[in-house]
Each structure stands twice: as structure tokens, then as C-alpha cells.
Amino acid sequence: MSSKERPHLNLIIIGHVDHGKSTMTGHLLYVCGSVSDRDIQKFEKEAELIGRGSFKFAWVLDKLKEERERGVTIDLAFYKFQTKKYYFTIIDAPGHRDFVKNMITGTSQADAAVLVISAGTGEFEAGISAIGQTREHALLAKTLGVDQIIVAVNKMDLAEYKQERYEEIKSEMERNLKLFGFDTNKILYVPVSGIKGDNLNEKAETMPWYKGPTLVEALDTFVVAAKPIDKPLRLPIQDVYSITGIGTVPVGRVETGVLKPKDEVIFQPTGKTAAVMSIEMHHEEISEAIPGDNIGFSCKGLSKQDMRRGDVVGHKTKPPTVAKDFIAQVQVIRHPSVVAAGYTPVVHCGTAQVAVRFAELIMKVVKGEKTDKPDFLKNGDAAEVLMIPTRDMVIEQFSDIPQLGRFAIRDMGQTVAVGIVKKVTPK
Ligand code: GTP
Ligand code: MG
């Protein structure tokens, strides 16, 4: 079966810094036949030259010079591989907190996620701590619409392949993931060693106590969600290129609706319009783009200056909503003090990042008890908030277009809150 016939899934690899995402992913690509022996040998030689032999698999993904020298992932890496059932595009996200922005971009394109957690002594604990990225990434994935998740309990070699460590991590994560709204009964926990290859595509003899699927088998339990093709077109722009001979090429992932050549589209919030000339996916021209497709398209009549990351493309007849203000259900997760009216953090919605003011705290609910017009919100509080963007941005009602009706709030280098849009007042 060729890759074209298999259903396609975008898979993001997330987790705390150094928990072994790139190594596990590189090894997975290798056992699935996407990377050759020769390449791995080449990476091994190069890695050894700078005293980082253990990074040979990570280097399949970490291509930037700085990434290799520092041994951290900075940018997103895309790769393809196949299992029995699916054709996957895998996105290796950086774990370092400085690069969460890149992680959010990757997650907003994903259908499913593998959360990598190191079982190494102290490593699991660091990841799950208040300043770690294990919980932050899981929560962001959920907020950004990635409901399907597998937990890879990694570096089991460092835990002497002990079942007790696996169970400890599993039960702690079950508690957290349930809190974030995941359906915990559906989540598989696979004990692996990314570096040795245990339980990636073959059952490991090192862990006879584990009776569940290998990582590759677990990946095949993901399902392809029904595509929201009946909704209006919404395509958040990731990036814009200017390509000689083709012209201006915005790229992004179709969230809802269908885009075809010759369509008349509008870029919001600017209101600039254009006609679509051609659409490309994976370097091939396609006749229509549907939800989940990561595409680039050329459009007539606009230059690179007319659009930017964060814009949302729709059809001229059903333009994306530019919000004057909106009411959101906001959940405060991790704020160092309290949130009061006037607070103006950055809201991440789709690919847009805009400072938005908490204009009015309408109501808060703590343990089922409602308080009207509270003075402030603290961690753990859920509240209804009237929010006003400081510049034009696209926001949709969650009930209309969930993909653009939820957002993450980041401030001081971390995710402080997440929200769902109840009602938008259009501009
Ligand atoms: P960032 O992208 O920077 O967040 O890191 P990462 O999660 O991609 O981790 P990476 O794959 O770069 O590995 C980090 C370190 O852990 C490296 O020294 C690896 O060699 C080591 N490592 C990764 N996987 C394993 C494993 O299964 N067992 C052991 N013992 N070490 C591992
Ligand atoms: Mg990495």
C-alpha cells in the first residue's frame, strides 16, 4: 500500500526538556524504515566527533548547528513514517521552556500526541514539578484540540526496567491528565527506552511484566476524526513565503471547511482579498484542501506584506470573525500571584498571538460556588471574563468553530491560563 492510500495523521512529540523526545523519535523513524543505516552511522560519527555519541538518533531530528552543539531542540522538525494502518507526519517539538512558542505552533497542527516522560531518577519529578513542562505540554495539547494522546514512559533503562517506576509514573499522570479533561480510560502508557529501542516496534525482553502494545502498535489505536468539511473555511496562517516564479505563498493548516483553486478568499483581520491560484501539499499540487491538510497556496493580487502569521483565511462570503470583544470561560492554572481586571497577557489562538485585556471579571466558580464580579482570580479558579483584544484578531465562538474558539494565555514565559470562547461581539 502506498502512503497515499493510508489515512494520514499529524503526530506531535511533546514533553519536558531532555526527556528523550528527539532520541525516541529518531529511533522510531529508523525502525519504521524512514531513516537508513547509512544515515544513522553518519550521525553517530558526527555526534562522536563533538563527544555526543548518544545523540545519534536525536540528530535525525535536530538539524540546526546550535541544536546539535547544545543538545536541545529549538525548532520544529517534520518527518514522515508509516505503520500498518497510517501514514504519519511526525512533529518533534522542543521541550525547553524558552521554545514553548514553537511547541504551540506544532501542537496546533497535530491530530494526536505522544507525551514523552523520562523514568530517570529525578527527571520525571523535574518534568512534573510546577516549573516543568510535562503538565504544561499536556494541558496545551488538550486546549489546542489534541484529544488523543499516548504516554511514552521513556528511559526505562535508567529505571532498571522496573515495573514499580512505570506504575508510579502512570498513576501520577492519570491523575493529572484527568484533571485536564482527557478521557483517561483511552490513554495507553507504553514503557520504552528510546535509546535502546525497547518496545518501539518489538516487544522488549527487558520488560516481561508489560503486556500492552508496543509504541508502534499503540500509534495504530489512534482514530482519524471526522473532518469538519461542512463548516466555513478557516485556515490560520503559519508563515508567508515569497517564491520566485510562483509569487506570494502563505502556508498553514486547514482547520475547517474546504479550499479549492479559484476560490475568492479573505485574510482577516485585515480584510485583504485574493483569488487562489494553486494549492500544494507535500510538494504536490492538489485540487482541494480539507481539514488537517498542511498546505501552501499561491494567491493572486497580494504581496508578502499584505499578510502575516496569525491571519486567518476564509471565503469572502463567510469571513472569519474579527472580535471587538468576547466573553470567555477562563481557567487559571499557573499565575505567580492573582489576576485582576486590567491584566493584559498574550492570548494564543490559532497561530495568532495578541495582547488581550481582562476588561471585566463577570463571575467566578470555585468548587461549584458562584461569585459575581469577583475582585481577582487565583490558580485553580474558573471564571467568565469579558476580554478585549489590544489589536484586531480573529476569534470564533467555541460552539461554531472550536478550533478557533479556544486559546492559551502565556505570560512571563509560561502558560498561566486557558480558555474557551462563549460569545463574540464582532467588530
Ligand atoms: P529537547 O528537544 O531539548 O527538549 O530534548 P529531547 O526531549 O529531544 O531529548 P534528547 O532526545 O535530545 O535526549 C536528551 C538526553 O537524554 C540525551 O543525552 C540522550 O542521549 C538521553 N536519552 C534519550 N533517550 C534515552 C533513553 O531511552 N535512555 C537513556 N539512558 N538516555 C536517553
Ligand atoms: Mg529534542
Side-chain angles (χ1 to χ4, degrees), residues 257-422:
V258 178
L259 181 71
K260 292 182 181 166
K262 299 202 182 82
D263 281 359
E264 296 280 328
V265 293
I266 181 164
F267 288 72
Q268 290 285 48
T270 59
K272 299 249 161 78
T273 58
V276 175
M277 305 292 287
S278 62
I279 309 173
E280 254 198 23
M281 181 161 71
H282 308 311
H283 305 291
E284 276 169 41
E285 206 163 314
I286 55 174
S287 57
E288 63 168 27
I290 58 171
D293 289 352
N294 280 307
I295 58 161
F297 61 100
S298 65
C299 46
K300 201 173 167 178
L302 292 179
S303 75
K304 203 180 162 189
Q305 280 68 44
D306 291 322
M307 58 190 81
R308 62 171 169 172
R309 182 191 160 85
D311 288 355
V312 179
V313 174
H315 285 123
K316 244 162 93 174
T317 46
K318 284 185 183 163
T321 313
V322 181
K324 181 169 153 276
D325 59 47
F326 58 95
I327 292 174
Q329 179 75 30
V330 175
Q331 172 89 43
V332 183
I333 322 157
R334 193 195 277 180
H335 193 278
S337 56
V338 296
V339 172
Y343 180 50
T344 311
V346 176
V347 162
H348 293 242
C349 181
T351 54
Q353 297 168 15
V354 175
V356 177
R357 186 159 53 88
F358 280 50
E360 190 190 328
L361 308 182
I362 301 169
M363 178 189 74
K364 86 169 166 183
V365 186
V366 180
K367 294 189 181 114
E369 213 170 292
K370 286 184 188 172
T371 315
D372 284 336
K373 297 190 186 300
D375 293 330
F376 61 85
L377 307 174
K378 56 180 174 31
N379 291 344
D381 289 357
E384 222 171 83
V385 182
L386 173 67
M387 306 185 69
I388 304 182
T390 59
R391 64 176 166 82
D392 287 349
M393 77 181 299
V394 169
I395 285 271
E396 303 283 359
Q397 263 156 219
F398 185 80
S399 54
D400 296 338
I401 299 180
Q403 292 81 355
L404 291 170
R406 62 187 147 218
F407 55 85
I409 293 178
R410 299 205 16 104
D411 192 9
M412 297 163 289
Q414 57 186 8
T415 307
V416 298
V418 293
I420 280 178
V421 181
K422 297 274 180 208

